[in-house]
Amino acid sequence: MGKHDHLISYVPRPDRPDEKVDPNVMRKIAWMEDSFMKGAPYFEIMWFCSPREPRPPTHTHTFDEYIGFIGGDPDHPEDLNATVKFLLEDEWYTFTKSVVFFIPAGMPHSPIIIEEVKKPFIHFSGGPNVSYTRSE
């Protein structure tokens, strides 16, 4: 056991009460936030494996957030191998390339609409807040 084990997370985010995750659609990988690791900022990573219903609903945060979508093909990391739509404020963005969005505190965003998945891709989100909280 190492002296820094308390700074390492090998666990995915637990399901929320209103959430049922289908592993054929999404697979959680790793997560951290203050409630799990004292002082840690919010950060989570997951795989998307197939299209899904639009989620989460449009919302805001009191903190800045970053959201990324990264292709899973190491020979072509710029290619998402998927088609995804994402709402920022009142404008839709459709993308097929690996991308990271910066979402300033208070900016309405979401849902994420995954229209097509040719190969699984990685999705991550995080921010300086110590927990993930939404303001509707």
Side-chain angles (χ1 to χ4, degrees), residues 5-38:
D5 287 353
H6 67 287
L7 302 176
I8 302 168
S9 173
Y10 297 99
V11 301
R13 177 178 51 81
D15 289 347
R16 293 183 177 97
D18 63 336
E19 171 184 67
K20 182 175 188 233
V21 177
D22 179 347
N24 295 312
V25 176
M26 181 176 79
R27 296 183 187 160
K28 297 177 183 182
I29 300 171
W31 156 81
M32 67 172 59
E33 67 176 42
D34 183 71
S35 66
F36 172 71
M37 184 182 295
K38 190 67 182 155

Side-chain angles (χ1 to χ4, degrees), residues 35-73:
S35 66
F36 172 71
M37 184 182 295
K38 190 67 182 155
Y42 150 66
F43 185 75
E44 67 179 314
I45 307 167
M46 61 197 69
W47 281 103
F48 277 113
C49 304
S50 66
R52 71 170 190 173
E53 293 298 314
R55 294 193 60 224
T58 302
H59 61 277
T60 63
H61 302 285
T62 58
F63 59 92
D64 295 337
E65 183 180 30
Y66 49 88
I67 294 179
F69 303 85
I70 306 300
D73 182 348

